[in-house]
Amino acid sequence: MVFQHVELQHQNQVDAAASNIETIRGYCGYLLAGLSKFFAFPHNVNKYGVVFTSDESNLTSRISSPYGEARGRLVIQIVDGTVGGRYVFEKGVVSSMGEDIWGPIWAIRILSNGRVLLGDEGNIEIEVADPGHFSNAISAPAKSLLYCIASTPVFPT
């Protein structure tokens, strides 16, 4: 493998890494707190049957649902020339060899300016820092996540 020189324009993309990552991690914390709260409401416990737990120190999550087990973690990377985060959810599935593995099923993008976007593409933005009482800011990602868990087979083809 031959490693090439990294151009100055690409080197400059990591200049504010520490502050960008701090912002991304902060908004990821808001997202996880909102999802935890959403799934803990007694009405939603009865409606969805989901147990959502998160670890604020390493920004990971575990999801137990009627459709299977899932987990989530924050991945920081450069995308389209800027530092950004992807909160990637994975479902516990069985490989063709019969092994238990984790397969990615969905992601939420967290930009370095604090914008939080549903999925890898598009611009559906949600407010996670102050979602308000009647906002779908948290119900949209919660139900999207549950749909992705439900629609991903445990035994992929």
Side-chain angles (χ1 to χ4, degrees), residues 5-153:
H5 167 74
V6 176
E7 296 295 328
L8 182 60
Q9 69 186 33
H10 291 95
Q11 293 173 28
N12 291 340
Q13 293 173 1
V14 298
D15 277 348
S19 118
N20 288 338
I21 291 169
E22 183 179 333
T23 299
I24 292 164
R25 289 182 57 82
Y27 278 84
C28 183
Y30 288 133
L31 172 67
L32 295 180
L35 290 171
S36 294
K37 186 176 178 181
F38 176 86
F39 284 119
F41 282 129
H43 173 75
N44 290 342
V45 169
N46 293 333
K47 186 174 183 178
Y48 301 111
V50 170
V51 176
F52 185 96
T53 57
S54 64
D55 182 336
E56 293 180 24
S57 63
N58 62 14
L59 300 173
T60 58
S61 60
R62 303 285 283 179
I63 304 100
S64 177
S65 82
Y67 308 106
E69 303 297 312
R71 67 184 185 183
R73 65 189 171 102
L74 179 63
V75 178
I76 307 280
Q77 60 193 97
I78 293 178
V79 178
D80 297 329
T82 59
V83 175
R86 288 176 74 228
Y87 199 83
V88 179
F89 292 98
E90 301 170 313
K91 180 176 179 177
V93 297
V94 179
S95 75
S96 60
M97 303 297 288
E99 300 169 326
D100 291 333
I101 60 171
W102 294 96
I105 58 170
W106 194 53
I108 295 174
R109 289 178 292 153
I110 305 170
L111 308 183
S112 60
N113 62 5
R115 293 180 64 208
V116 179
L117 305 167
L118 298 179
D120 275 335
E121 298 177 352
N123 292 312
I124 299 174
E125 185 173 353
I126 58 171
E127 174 59 56
V128 296
D130 186 20
H133 294 293
F134 302 104
S135 170
N136 72 346
I138 298 301
S139 67
K143 292 193 287 186
S144 295
L145 169 59
L146 188 55
Y147 173 82
C148 290
I149 295 170
S151 63
T152 302

